[in-house]
């Protein structure tokens, strides 16, 4: 098969498994998997990872998470409001106040002062478009495997087995630590797994659009090196 075609198909595996592509694209990938053993093997590894993740218990958020998020959002809103009032005060002292003092006494001065104060009070009193209570509390995503700089390959071990790895992903979508949960424990296995993890790129998890650290469960096929 054409290598660029295989890379294109493998890049769409995640969306294919999530059902996030069109029916025509799903049909094209399915036909490609039937004709390409390498991509079929790669896809089987993807599905095994997805199945492993599906068996994991759902982590329960702390009971006070909602309160903490609302407090953090409120503090940030207060900081922005404080900066706004500081800017209005500075503008008044440097531009408007000297101008008002220079206007001759009388009706014209009163009108200018009232209009200026009305503008400032109307701007300050305008309600914010978004309140802290309006922030969505479900905007949390998990990390997803994107691609690897090198084609994934089986792990050579003393016996055939499935190796399950708990990998920690940083905000840039790269693995910074891992633990072998189960499977082959040969001395040569960790180095092989580390080589593949260092070349893997993930879509980092996020909270309200900001990337955060997270963890994923990965599976590797351990292949016996004995004849």
């Amino acid at each position: 098969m054409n290598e660029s075609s295989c890379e294109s198909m493998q890049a769409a595996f995640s969306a294919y498994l999530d059902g996030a592509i069109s029916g025509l694209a799903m049909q094209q990938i399915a036909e490609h998997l039937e004709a390409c053993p390498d991509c079929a093997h790669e896809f089987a590894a993807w599905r095994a990872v997805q199945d492993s993740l599906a068996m994991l218990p759902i982590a329960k958020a702390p009971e006070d998470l909602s309160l903490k998020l609302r407090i953090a959002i409120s503090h940030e809103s207060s900081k922005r409001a404080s900066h706004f009032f500081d800017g209005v005060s500075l503008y008044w002292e440097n531009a408007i106040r000297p101008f008002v003092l220079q206007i001759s006494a009388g009706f014209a001065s009163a009108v200018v002062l009232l209009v200026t104060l009305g503008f400032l009070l109307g701007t300050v009193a305008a309600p914010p478009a978004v309140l802290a209570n309006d922030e969505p509390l479900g905007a949390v995503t998990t990390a997803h495997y994107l691609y690897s700089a090198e084609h994934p390959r089986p792990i050579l071990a003393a016996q055939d087995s499935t190796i399950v790895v708990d990998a920690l992903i940083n905000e840039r979508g790269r693995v910074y630590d891992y633990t072998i949960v189960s499977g082959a424990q040969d001395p040569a296995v960790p180095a092989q797994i580390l080589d593949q993890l260092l070349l893997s790129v993930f879509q980092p998890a996020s909270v309200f659009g900001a990337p955060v650290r997270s963890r994923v469960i990965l599976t590797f096929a351990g292949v016996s090196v004995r004849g």
Side-chain angles (χ1 to χ4, degrees), residues 99-185:
F99 176 72
V100 172
L101 292 178
Q102 292 175 7
I103 295 179
S104 59
F107 180 77
S109 177
V111 170
V112 172
L113 181 59
L114 288 175
V115 171
T116 303
L117 290 176
F119 172 76
L120 290 177
L121 292 175
T123 303
V124 172
V130 179
L131 301 177
N133 291 337
D134 295 330
E135 291 288 344
L137 296 178
V140 179
T141 64
T142 58
H144 292 283
Y145 174 82
L146 294 178
Y147 61 89
S148 175
E150 182 177 301
H151 192 282
R153 58 188 183 279
I155 303 298
L156 301 181
Q159 58 185 5
D160 293 344
S161 64
T162 298
I163 304 171
V164 180
V165 174
D166 180 7
L168 302 182
I169 312 300
N170 63 20
E171 298 88 340
R172 298 186 302 277
R174 306 305 294 265
V175 176
Y176 68 90
D177 197 5
Y178 76 97
T179 302
I180 298 178
V181 179
S182 65
Q185 298 292 334

Side-chain angles (χ1 to χ4, degrees), residues 38-85:
D38 289 341
C39 286
H41 178 76
E42 174 69 10
F43 180 74
W46 276 72
R47 184 176 291 279
V49 171
Q50 187 185 61
D51 292 342
S52 297
L53 292 175
M55 292 186 295
L56 291 176
I58 299 177
K60 183 179 180 181
E63 295 181 358
D64 60 348
L65 176 61
S66 174
L67 177 60
K68 289 181 177 179
L69 289 174
R70 293 183 185 278
I71 292 175
I73 294 170
S74 297
H75 287 173
E76 184 62 26
S77 299
S78 297
K79 290 180 181 179
R80 290 197 294 265
S82 176
H83 293 162
F84 172 76
F85 284 118

Side-chain angles (χ1 to χ4, degrees), residues 29-40:
I29 293 177
E31 293 175 351
H32 182 85
L33 291 176
E34 292 179 357
C36 180
D38 289 341
C39 286

